[in-house]
C-alpha cells in the first residue's frame, strides 16, 4: 500500500515538472516571436527609400561650372565620387604663315560628367541650385526605389543565422562539416553588408550631372608638318646646281681615265680597219 502511494506521488512530481518545462518553452517561443514582430514593426515604420537623380544642362563655361558644382556639393555636406572633363576637336583648318609655320584653327567641343552623393533630405534643393547654373536644362529626372522589403528580408535572415549559430555554440545543434559553419558566417556577413549599403543609399542620394558648352575656337601657331615645304632659297639652289655639275664632270673624267685601256684599244682597232679599207680601195684590179 505504501509503495502504491509513493509511486503515485512520484508520477505527480514528474508530471508537474513536465508541465513547467513546457510552459517555459512556450514562453521562450512567444518572447522570440515578439522580438521578431518588434523588429519587423521597427523596419516597417522606417521605409528604406533610395533616391537617384540625373541632370543634363548647357553652360557658358564648363571649367567654371564644374568648380561651382564642386563647391556646392561641399556646401551641402556631400561628396564628389566621379569627375571627368573631356575636350575633342570637331574640325580644324591650317593657315600657312611662312614656309616652316602654320596657324591651326580648331573647333573644340568640351563637356563634363560629375557624380555626386548628397544627403537625401536636401536632394531637391541641391538639384534646383544646380539647374540654375545652366543656360537651359536638357534633362532632369528623379527615381525612387523602395528597399524596405529587401532590408527586412536581409535583417530576418541575419537574426535567424545568429540564433542558429548560438545554438551551434551551445551544442544544441550539431554541424558535421566545419566548412558549412564558415559558409553560414560568411553569408551572415554578406547580409549585414547588404543592409549597410541600403542604409548608405537611403542616407545619401546619387546625382549624375552632365553639362557642356558651345564649341570654342582655338588658334595656335605650330610648325609646318609638310616636309616638302622645307626648301632652301632659289639662288642657293642655283649655286648648288653649278657645284653638282662640276662634280659630275670630274667624275666623268675620272671614268674616262680609268677606261683609257679600252679607249686606246678602240682607237687602234678603228685605225686598223680604216687602213685596211684604204689598202683595199687602192689595189688595182686585173
Amino acid at each position: 500500500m505504501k509503495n502504491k502511494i509513493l509511486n503515485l506521488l512520484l508520477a505527480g512530481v514528474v508530471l508537474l515538472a513536465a508541465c513547467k518545462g513546457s510552459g517555459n518553452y512556450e514562453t521562450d517561443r512567444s518572447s522570440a516571436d515578439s522580438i521578431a514582430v518588434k523588429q519587423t514593426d521597427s523596419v516597417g515604420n522606417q521605409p528604406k527609400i533610395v533616391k537617384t537623380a540625373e541632370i543634363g544642362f548647357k553652360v557658358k563655361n564648363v571649367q567654371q561650372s564644374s568648380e561651382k558644382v564642386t563647391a556646392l556639393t561641399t556646401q551641402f555636406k556631400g561628396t564628389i565620387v566621379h569627375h571627368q572633363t573631356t575636350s575633342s576637336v570637331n574640325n580644324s583648318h591650317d593657315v600657312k604663315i611662312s614656309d616652316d609655320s602654320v596657324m591651326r584653327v580648331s573647333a573644340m567641343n568640351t563637356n563634363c560628367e560629375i557624380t555626386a552623393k548628397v544627403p537625401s533630405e536636401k536632394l531637391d534643393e541641391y538639384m534646383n541650385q544646380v539647374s540654375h547654373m545652366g543656360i537651359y536644362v536638357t534633362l532632369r529626372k528623379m527615381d525612387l526605389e523602395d528597399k524596405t522589403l529587401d532590408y527586412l528580408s536581409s535583417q530576418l535572415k541575419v537574426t535567424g543565422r545568429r540564433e542558429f549559430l548560438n545554438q551551434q555554440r551551445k551544442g544544441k545543434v550539431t554541424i558535421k562539416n566545419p566548412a558549412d559553419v564558415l559558409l553560414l558566417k560568411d553569408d551572415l556577413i554578406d547580409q549585414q553588408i547588404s543592409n549597410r549599403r541600403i542604409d548608405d543609399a537611403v542616407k545619401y542620394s546619387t546625382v549624375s550631372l552632365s553639362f557642356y558648352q558651345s564649341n570654342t575656337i582655338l588658334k595656335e601657331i605650330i610648325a609646318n608638318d609638310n616636309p616638302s615645304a622645307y626648301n632652301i632659297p632659289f639662288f642657293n639652289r642655283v649655286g648648288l646646281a653649278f657645284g653638282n655639275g662640276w662634280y659630275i664632270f670630274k667624275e666623268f673624267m675620272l671614268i674616262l681615265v680609268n677606261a683609257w685601256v679600252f679607249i686606246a684599244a678602240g682607237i687602234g682597232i678603228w685605225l686598223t680597219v680604216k687602213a685596211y679599207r684604204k689598202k683595199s680601195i687602192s689595189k688595182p684590179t686585173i
Side-chain angles (χ1 to χ4, degrees):
M1 187 67 181
K2 291 181 179 180
N3 292 332
K4 290 182 179 180
I5 295 173
L6 291 175
N7 290 332
L8 290 175
L9 291 174
L10 181 62
V13 170
V14 172
L15 182 61
L16 180 61
C19 291
K20 289 183 178 180
S22 62
N24 292 333
Y25 177 70
E26 292 296 334
T27 303
D28 294 339
R29 278 186 56 186
S30 62
S31 61
D33 293 339
S34 63
I35 293 174
V37 170
K38 289 181 180 178
Q39 291 179 347
T40 304
D41 293 339
S42 63
V43 175
N45 293 333
Q46 300 176 357
K48 303 296 182 180
I49 305 298
V50 177
K51 298 179 181 180
T52 56
E54 183 178 355
I55 305 178
F57 52 99
K58 182 179 180 181
V59 297
K60 293 182 179 180
N61 188 286
V62 167
Q63 181 63 30
Q64 295 177 0
S65 298
S66 62
E67 294 175 359
K68 291 180 180 179
V69 169
T70 303
L72 181 65
T73 304
T74 304
Q75 179 183 347
F76 275 78
K77 301 185 182 303
T79 306
I80 300 293
V81 296
H82 175 72
H83 187 173
Q84 180 178 355
T85 302
T86 57
S87 297
S88 59
V89 179
N90 285 347
N91 192 11
S92 64
H93 177 67
D94 293 341
V95 180
K96 184 177 180 181
I97 297 177
S98 61
D99 291 336
D100 59 352
S101 62
V102 296
M103 180 176 65
R104 178 162 294 174
V105 182
S106 304
M108 304 292 297
N109 179 24
T110 305
N111 58 75
C112 181
E113 294 181 357
I114 294 178
T115 303
K117 284 190 174 183
V118 297
S120 298
E121 64 272 10
K122 299 181 179 180
L123 180 59
D124 292 333
E125 183 182 356
Y126 178 82
M127 293 181 66
N128 292 334
Q129 294 196 26
V130 170
S131 300
H132 294 158
M133 296 181 184
I135 301 174
Y136 58 84
V137 176
T138 59
L139 172 66
R140 175 171 176 170
K141 70 175 183 179
M142 179 189 297
D143 296 324
L144 277 69
E145 186 178 4
D146 191 352
K147 292 284 188 177
T148 305
L149 294 180
D150 295 336
Y151 191 92
L152 175 61
S153 174
S154 180
Q155 191 174 24
L156 292 177
K157 289 179 181 179
V158 168
T159 303
R161 283 164 174 75
R162 282 178 177 172
E163 291 179 357
F164 187 81
L165 289 175
N166 290 333
Q167 292 178 1
Q168 189 267 340
R169 293 191 189 97
K170 294 178 181 179
K172 296 181 180 181
V173 177
T174 303
I175 301 178
K176 297 181 180 180
N177 189 2
D180 294 337
V181 178
L182 296 177
L183 292 175
L184 189 61
K185 291 181 179 179
D186 292 342
D187 191 51
L188 178 62
I189 294 173
D190 292 339
Q191 296 294 336
Q192 291 175 332
I193 296 299
S194 177
N195 277 356
R196 290 195 177 185
R197 287 198 181 101
I198 294 177
D199 288 334
D200 182 71
V202 171
K203 187 177 180 181
Y204 291 96
S205 298
T206 302
V207 185
S208 299
L209 309 176
S210 60
F211 48 94
Y212 65 98
Q213 66 183 36
S214 299
N215 290 346
T216 56
I217 300 299
L218 175 64
K219 298 179 182 180
E220 54 181 342
I221 305 299
I222 62 174
N224 193 350
D225 56 359
N226 185 7
S228 62
Y230 293 89
N231 290 325
I232 61 176
F234 172 75
F235 291 104
N236 292 341
R237 294 172 65 186
V238 172
L240 289 175
F242 279 112
N244 289 334
W246 177 246
Y247 174 78
I248 294 173
F249 175 75
K250 290 190 298 181
E251 293 296 324
F252 179 71
M253 293 302 295
L254 290 174
I255 292 174
L256 292 179
V257 172
N258 289 325
W260 68 271
V261 175
F262 299 99
I263 296 174
I267 293 174
I269 294 173
W270 178 74
L271 292 175
T272 302
V273 172
K274 187 177 181 180
Y276 177 78
R277 286 182 178 179
K278 286 182 179 182
K279 186 177 180 182
S280 299
I281 294 172
S282 61
K283 186 178 182 180
T285 56
I286 301 175

